Amino acid sequence: MVKMMREGGQRANAILIVAALSMVLAPFGVATSAGASASPATSLAQRLLDEAIIPTGAVLAHPVTAVVCQCAGTSDNRALTTRHRYYIVPGPPKGVEKFLTTHIPKGGSFGGSVGTSSSSNGPTVTSLAITYRANGPHLYLKQLAYSMTRRTSSTSWLRIDSQIVWIPSRTQSETVSDPVSATVTGYKVIALSGNSGDVRINLSGRTLTKLIDEFNALPLGPTNLCMENLSGFTISLTLKSGEHVQISNGFCAGSFDEVSSPTGNLNDTFYEVSDHSCGFMRAVVSLLAATPAAGSRAALHQCEVWSKATSS
């Protein structure tokens, strides 16, 4: 498949859209995270789909053959809930694109990015997305994704997907309990190629308890999967039970902290929390104030700039 992007870049927290023609049409599944029985994601996705502005003359269709497929990728597919509809629309895909980018539903935003894809045995597909504010503590993605391709000389196929990522509240098992001691590692230099210049401080007592209380107050976030990730610090904890837990800071379309077991056993503790305000990161970096951890402080500054931009 050949892909091309034109115009501006999408918002960092938007889902990546890849249009494909090789898949046989089937009902689009609904995937939700643990505890999703009380999740409003399904109703939110349906409501968002109902709010999509449809081009004039569009006719709802139920195709039974392979036509344009919206193949969406997200940071956490387990938490992704989707709904979709197909339409037959008068005119070429270019005209459909123009209509969609000039008729934005209330509360939505078009980032200026339009993608095209083609394969050796299929037509060209155009895709774009309308995004909405979604900064947690439960809602982390809300968008309408559009895919369109030529159907006949005078009509186009249009697929509209509503996409919601809704994360439940943390459970007791997703908190850090009874910390006894910890080592905080900051860095002199932070880069995509790797961090260097480790700077370590040890914590215990009330200082550690206060820090972990702040951490436990953060909401769960979606699992982040980035090819490149900036990490501002790590915290290695020993609990009263004798267990060892590691908290790793990261930035992947938003600030997050990952909790894992140093043993690397996938059955052990593993989850991610969202630090959208950079508050926990700020608390950790403040403990490194007397150290030469310039890289960690620079990472905090970048987080604060991002947080301000996405909150305005």
Side-chain angles (χ1 to χ4, degrees):
M1 179 176 292
V2 178
K3 295 180 291 182
M4 298 171 285
M5 296 300 294
R6 56 187 172 81
E7 300 186 21
Q10 275 186 324
R11 289 172 56 184
N13 62 345
I15 207 169
L16 295 178
I17 301 173
V18 181
L21 292 174
S22 60
M23 296 179 63
V24 175
L25 177 64
F28 205 85
V30 176
T32 54
S33 58
S37 58
S39 166
T42 299
S43 59
L44 285 173
Q46 187 60 54
R47 190 183 315 154
L48 182 60
L49 184 60
D50 292 340
E51 294 173 356
I53 300 176
I54 311 303
T56 303
V59 177
L60 185 64
H62 302 282
V64 294
T65 57
V67 294
V68 61
C69 172
Q70 180 67 61
C71 304
T74 179
S75 56
D76 193 346
N77 278 313
R78 296 169 303 172
L80 177 66
T81 299
T82 69
R83 288 289 184 270
H84 78 271
R85 289 183 185 138
Y86 281 97
Y87 294 90
I88 297 173
V89 185
K94 186 68 177 178
V96 180
E97 174 197 324
K98 182 177 180 181
F99 178 90
L100 296 174
T101 55
T102 55
H103 294 75
I104 310 298
K106 183 178 180 180
S109 175
F110 173 57
S113 181
V114 178
T116 60
S117 62
S118 61
S119 60
S120 58
N121 59 351
T124 298
V125 177
T126 301
S127 60
L128 60 94
I130 305 299
T131 60
Y132 297 75
R133 288 176 60 90
N135 297 325
H138 295 294
L139 185 63
Y140 287 95
L141 176 76
K142 179 181 179 181
Q143 79 170 12
L144 288 168
Y146 300 89
S147 295
M148 63 212 81
T149 191
R150 185 177 292 277
R151 175 176 175 268
T152 67
S153 60
S154 59
T155 63
S156 297
W157 283 112
L158 169 64
R159 174 167 173 158
I160 305 177
D161 285 83
S162 61
Q163 301 169 341
I164 298 291
V165 169
W166 193 94
I167 304 294
S169 299
R170 290 172 76 170
T171 63
Q172 184 61 38
S173 64
E174 294 164 327
T175 59
V176 176
S177 302
D178 301 319
V180 174
S181 62
T183 298
V184 177
T185 302
Y187 305 98
K188 296 179 181 178
V189 178
I190 290 179
L192 293 175
S193 57
N195 297 346
S196 61
D198 293 10
V199 177
R200 295 183 175 87
I201 60 171
N202 296 318
L203 299 179
S204 60
R206 294 182 61 182
T207 300
L208 176 58
T209 299
K210 181 181 178 181
L211 185 67
I212 296 305
D213 284 346
E214 289 190 50
F215 174 78
N216 285 335
L218 295 174
L220 282 181
T223 300
N224 291 275
L225 299 173
C226 276
M227 293 180 65
E228 296 177 328
N229 174 39
L230 289 174
S231 177
F233 60 83
T234 60
I235 304 176
S236 298
L237 293 134
T238 299
L239 308 184
K240 187 176 181 180
S241 63
E243 296 178 273
H244 298 281
V245 172
Q246 182 166 289
I247 299 175
S248 302
N249 169 255
F251 191 93
C252 174
S255 180
F256 69 95
D257 298 292
E258 178 183 278
V259 181
S260 61
S261 167
T263 63
N265 188 336
L266 295 179
N267 294 321
D268 289 340
T269 302
F270 180 85
Y271 57 90
E272 290 185 7
V273 297
S274 173
D275 187 18
H276 183 269
S277 69
C278 314
F280 180 69
M281 188 177 187
R282 191 176 301 112
V284 174
V285 173
S286 69
L287 298 173
L288 299 167
T291 69
S296 295
R297 284 188 281 276
L300 172 61
H301 175 70
Q302 293 180 21
C303 181
E304 291 173 332
V305 170
W306 168 83
S307 178
K308 183 178 180 179
T310 56
S311 299
S312 58

